[in-house]
Each structure stands twice: as structure tokens, then as C-alpha cells.
Amino acid sequence: MRHLLNSALFVLLSMLSSSALAAERPNILILMADNWAWPHAGACGDRVVKTPTFDRLAREGVLFRNAFCLAPSCAPARAAFLTGQTIHRLDDAANLHGRFPARHRVFTDALEETGYFVGFSGKGWSPGNVKESGRPRNPAGTKYNDAAAFLSALPKEQPFCYWFSSRHPHIPWQDGAEQKAAMSLDNLQVPAYLPDVPLVRDNIRDYLCEVQLFDQECAAILKLFGDAKRLGNTVIVMTGDNGWQMPHGLAHIYDAGTRVPLAISWPGHMPAAANPSDEFVNFDDFAPTILELAGLKPFVECTGTSLLPLLRTTATASRDAIFLSRERHANVRRGDRSYPVRAIRTREFLYVRNFEPDLWPAGDPEIYLAVGDFGDVDFTFTKQHILDHRNEPAMKKYFDINFGKRPAEELYDLAKDPDQTTNIASDPAYHDAKAKLNDRLTNWMRETADPRLKNPHDDRWDKAPYYGGRPTGSQIPKE
């Protein structure tokens, strides 16, 4: 009898302990845009776009001014986000439209196994083939039609992790047209890698209108969760999955493709003195952060570092660089070739190593399989304008910057060239700086077991299946 009583007492105490732990563990609410680049938010310094939701979260929490997506491609960046690993450790998941092998652990499964209610709506991990990955569902969790459906299914008092993965501001930039009249073309910031002509300004305005729609979607979701009394003790992450789809952006290793807006809010738990933060953040930092928030240990295979100290105190992480990677984006080169890149980004420099400089970084000049000519730059009217006028003297430099072949090494002085348009890798004045960055990049590749350190021409990502379709007329927006 005493043994039975002791056993019952142990079970009761365990239940009480688990209940207390569940009450303490924060909810996780992720709001992710599709191809939203820095600095296109009010809090990031853009003078035209209106992003009151993001701006409020940035004020109430922490605005990270040096956040990067690790890989300038949707599915690989999202795989890094979910696993906490850099992409060359993730097999086929380093590619767009590939597989995400089930052997790679994701934080969503770990949360669910320890009592969280996990779900997503929108893209989640995508684009890629979940079935061929050997997974029973999308790595982001159970899919719901929208936030309301998730809330309807969410058990009372159970901690949750919900990932809203918007389609905005993905091309075609045709939504939000009614907002255009209120958005002045005069104050738009045209980066140095694009020609400053009316067509380009109008194209940027179309994109910014869709950024505003994403912000409005997030406002509606926060209101929905607030009205349901489910925002208490909730960590809110609002960011983009990679850069915008203009030339020099998505699929390319420059800031336009890798640097993203990021605000994290956790009311009542974050000191105002920590805001804003210039600390470097990379997408492989999110899995260890979310696992620690849930009271779990980060996966031993994580290459990222938990941001929890930055959220709870005013301490600095003292990280002075992040590392970036790229394998195959779209299948746009003969032989299904990748365009492999590794890079290190510090406050002063971006150093890039291109392993196959004989290939076209933007894809073959004529369509091979997917997307179109120079298919690693998605169709926009800006892209077409540059290509249509490529032989004109005033346009040649923009063609070369965005579509031309690149040498094995690139180096950019960010103080002089923030948009990374002038490669100074061969300048003797930067010899020592380049050598140090090269050594750091090599050491990182060694520490993370990068196959390209041993064999720069490793073709495993070329041979991986590609599940993306051929281009159709519906993929090309009409004026």
C-alpha cells in the first residue's frame, strides 16, 4: 500500500511539475514574409514603405540590424531556420525544389514531442518535395488553412508554435495597387546595382506595396491571437526568408539577397536597453534559440548559436561575422549545375568565394530547364529592362553587375560600397584584409565539415533531383 501511495504521489508531482513547466514555457509566433529584403521597413530606415506592425514589434522588442538568412534561396534558408544548421550539412535541402531528408532534426518536431501544439499556414518549408523527403508532413508541422483554423484547433492552455508564412511580397507584384497612389516615387531608394529610371522606381513601388500587405496580414493575425487571449507570454518573430527578387537579390550572396529585416518581441522579458541591436544574427541561430526558449537543449549538430542571452539581457554576443552559402537555386544551367558559393560577411567587408567561376551566376543566357533566360534572377520588369538595353553604354554596367560572370574571389568594402557593386579582390591595398577573410572562411568550412573544402568541385548537389517545373505563361506577370 505504501508503495502504491508513493507511486501515486510521484505521478501527481510529475504532473504538477509538467503543468508548471508548460505554464512557464513561452508560445512561439513566427511571422515570415516571402522575399523581403533589408531595409524595406520603417524601423529599418525606409522613408516610403509603411510597416506599423513591424515597427511596433521593433520598438517593443529588439530590432536586429544585422540579420541574415544564411542562404539566399527560399527552401535552403527555411531548412537552416528549422534545423539550426548551415546548408552544406543538409544534403539535398541545400537546393531549391529538392528534398529535406528526414534524418535532419527540426525544432518543430522537438517542440511537439515535449507538449507544444505546432502548426503553420502558407509556405512553411518550401518549395520542395515533402513526400520524397521521407517525411510524413511538411517539416514546419501540421498545415492549417489560416491562423483562425489553427486557433480553433489549439487546445486551451497548451503552449503553441505557429508559423505564418506569407506569400507577400513574392512576385508578381500585382497586389496592393490601390496603395500606389499614396506612395511617392520621389523618396524611393534605388540601390546602386539598379538603373535609376522611372520603370525601376515604379517596380520598386509595386514591391513595397506588397511589403505593406504583409505587414497588414501580420496585424490581423496578432489581433486574432490577442482577441483569443493567446498572446500572453509569447515570443513574436517577424522577418523575411531572404532578399527581394530584384537583380542582385534572391539567389545571390550579396546583402540584397541575404540581409533581412528582423524584429523579436517578448513583452515583459526584454530590456529596452538592448534595442536596437547591431549583433550579427543568422538563420541557423533560430532553432537553438527556440529550443532553449522551450526549455530544451539545442541539437548537438546545430551550427548556430542561441539568441536567448540577447533577448533576456543587454549582453552582447561579440560575434563579428557571419557565414553565407549557396548551392543550386533554380535549375538554370546545362548539366543541372549548381553555382556554389561560400562567403563571410563582417561589418567592414563581404568576401565571396565562387567555386565555379566559369559558370553564369545568374543562370545560362538562354533557358535551360526552369524559370527563363538568366533564370537565377526571377522575372521582373526591371530585369527585362536591363536585358533589353544591355548593349547600350549606360546600361552595360548594370548588366555586368547583375548577369555577368564573376571571378573566383570577390571582396567589397562596405563603407565605400554598401550595395556591393565594385569588386576590389585584386586591389593590392586590400591584400592583407582579403587573406585574413579567406583564412576565416576556410576555418569555418573545416569546422562545419563542408564537402567543398576537400573537393571544391563536388557535384552532389548537381546530381540531386530537382522537382521544380518548367516556366509557364502564368509565371510571367503582365503589365
Side-chain angles (χ1 to χ4, degrees):
M1 178 64 70
R2 181 178 298 175
H3 175 74
L4 291 174
L5 288 173
N6 288 339
S7 296
L9 180 62
F10 175 79
V11 170
L12 178 60
L13 289 173
S14 297
M15 291 174 61
L16 290 173
S17 177
S18 298
S19 177
L21 180 60
E24 293 172 0
R25 293 187 295 175
N27 305 308
I28 310 295
L29 179 56
I30 300 162
L31 307 170
M32 184 176 286
D34 196 359
N35 305 322
W36 180 30
W38 176 276
H40 303 131
C44 301
D46 192 295
R47 297 176 295 170
V48 175
V49 70
K50 306 299 182 186
T51 53
T53 309
F54 181 83
D55 298 350
R56 177 173 62 83
L57 294 177
R59 287 193 308 271
E60 295 174 353
V62 176
L63 170 67
F64 289 93
R65 296 191 289 205
N66 281 304
F68 293 79
C69 65
L70 197 148
S73 182
C74 295
R78 291 163 184 261
F81 182 85
L82 285 159
T83 61
Q85 294 194 69
T86 194
I87 64 169
H88 58 251
R89 298 163 63 95
L90 299 178
D91 306 308
D92 292 11
N95 286 350
L96 190 76
H97 283 295
R99 299 175 295 200
F100 192 156
R103 73 182 186 88
H104 297 296
R105 295 189 289 180
V106 291
F107 73 75
T108 44
D109 288 346
L111 293 186
E112 192 171 66
E113 290 165 2
T114 54
Y116 273 74
F117 191 78
V118 176
F120 78 101
S121 61
K123 282 184 70 169
W125 173 75
S126 179
N129 192 312
V130 173
K131 181 179 178 181
E132 292 298 324
S133 299
R135 295 177 179 271
R137 65 181 187 183
N138 192 293
T142 301
K143 187 170 185 177
Y144 293 86
N145 287 336
D146 51 31
F150 176 83
L151 277 171
S152 295
L154 176 61
K156 188 177 181 181
E157 306 300 333
Q158 187 171 354
F160 67 83
C161 176
Y162 173 67
W163 181 358
F164 167 63
S165 189
S166 176
R167 292 294 301 184
H168 291 306
H170 195 287
I171 59 168
W173 298 323
Q174 296 177 326
D175 296 332
E178 69 282 356
Q179 303 180 42
K180 288 183 67 172
M183 190 177 289
S184 171
L185 287 175
D186 296 336
N187 292 326
L188 287 176
Q189 296 171 304
V190 180
Y193 51 84
L194 298 178
D196 191 351
V197 297
L199 178 145
V200 173
R201 285 181 171 267
D202 188 63
N203 213 192
I204 293 173
R205 181 166 61 173
D206 289 336
Y207 155 81
L208 293 178
C209 285
E210 294 218 5
V211 171
Q212 293 185 167
L213 291 179
F214 168 65
D215 194 83
Q216 292 165 17
E217 288 177 319
C218 294
I221 289 172
L222 291 173
K223 184 178 186 305
L224 199 64
F225 276 80
D227 291 345
K229 310 298 184 186
R230 297 308 303 258
L231 277 183
N233 194 23
T234 298
V235 178
I236 305 168
V237 178
M238 188 169 174
T239 190
D241 64 347
N242 41 240
W244 62 346
Q245 288 164 285
M246 284 291 197
H248 216 65
L250 176 70
H252 301 276
I253 212 76
Y254 311 112
D255 280 13
T258 60
R259 192 177 179 190
V260 294
L262 171 63
I264 302 179
S265 175
W266 190 12
H269 294 81
M270 303 176 70
N275 190 37
S277 174
D278 288 322
E279 292 295 325
F280 279 109
V281 175
N282 216 349
F283 258 33
D284 57 349
D285 296 328
F286 282 101
T289 302
I290 291 171
L291 290 169
E292 282 203 344
L293 284 166
L296 305 173
K297 291 184 178 180
F299 304 143
V300 294
E301 63 268 26
C302 285
T303 57
T305 303
S306 173
L307 304 175
L308 197 53
L310 298 179
L311 302 182
R312 281 185 163 161
T313 72
T314 58
T316 59
S318 68
R319 181 190 287 173
D320 64 349
I322 49 93
F323 297 90
L324 305 165
S325 297
R326 169 185 168 176
E327 285 298 335
R328 191 174 65 200
H329 185 63
N331 194 349
V332 294
R333 295 173 196 83
R334 295 191 181 281
D336 306 330
R337 299 292 299 277
S338 171
Y339 190 82
V341 180
R342 302 291 184 266
I344 176 173
R345 169 62 156 82
T346 68
R347 301 186 196 284
E348 297 82 20
F349 297 104
L350 173 68
Y351 171 73
V352 180
R353 192 180 296 173
N354 298 308
F355 293 98
E356 302 290 352
D358 291 338
L359 300 179
W360 292 92
D364 287 350
E366 295 182 354
I367 183 172
Y368 165 60
L369 178 72
V371 184
D373 301 348
F374 295 108
D376 266 351
V377 178
D378 284 344
F379 177 88
T380 60
F381 297 126
T382 297
K383 171 186 177 178
Q384 198 59 47
H385 179 76
I386 296 173
L387 294 181
D388 288 346
H389 299 274
R390 72 184 82 175
N391 295 322
E392 299 174 8
M395 197 62 64
K396 184 180 183 302
K397 73 171 184 178
Y398 298 108
F399 175 81
D400 291 343
I401 288 170
N402 295 301
F403 301 99
K405 289 186 178 180
R406 297 166 189 160
E409 290 183 300
E410 298 175 69
L411 180 66
Y412 299 94
D413 184 333
L414 302 179
K416 298 178 180 179
D417 183 21
D419 289 330
Q420 298 132 39
T421 62
T422 303
N423 181 15
I424 55 171
S426 61
D427 188 333
Y430 291 92
H431 176 272
D432 290 346
K434 186 180 74 170
K436 290 177 182 177
L437 293 166
N438 177 64
D439 288 345
R440 290 191 66 180
L441 183 58
T442 297
N443 289 337
W444 173 77
M445 292 175 67
R446 182 179 298 109
E447 292 167 359
T448 56
D450 191 338
R452 292 202 182 276
L453 184 61
K454 182 181 292 186
N455 178 12
H457 307 293
D458 193 310
D459 64 355
R460 69 184 67 190
W461 290 287
D462 301 347
K463 294 178 179 178
Y466 180 80
Y467 299 99
R470 291 180 177 272
T472 65
S474 62
Q475 291 176 287
I476 301 176
K478 298 178 174 60
E479 292 193 69

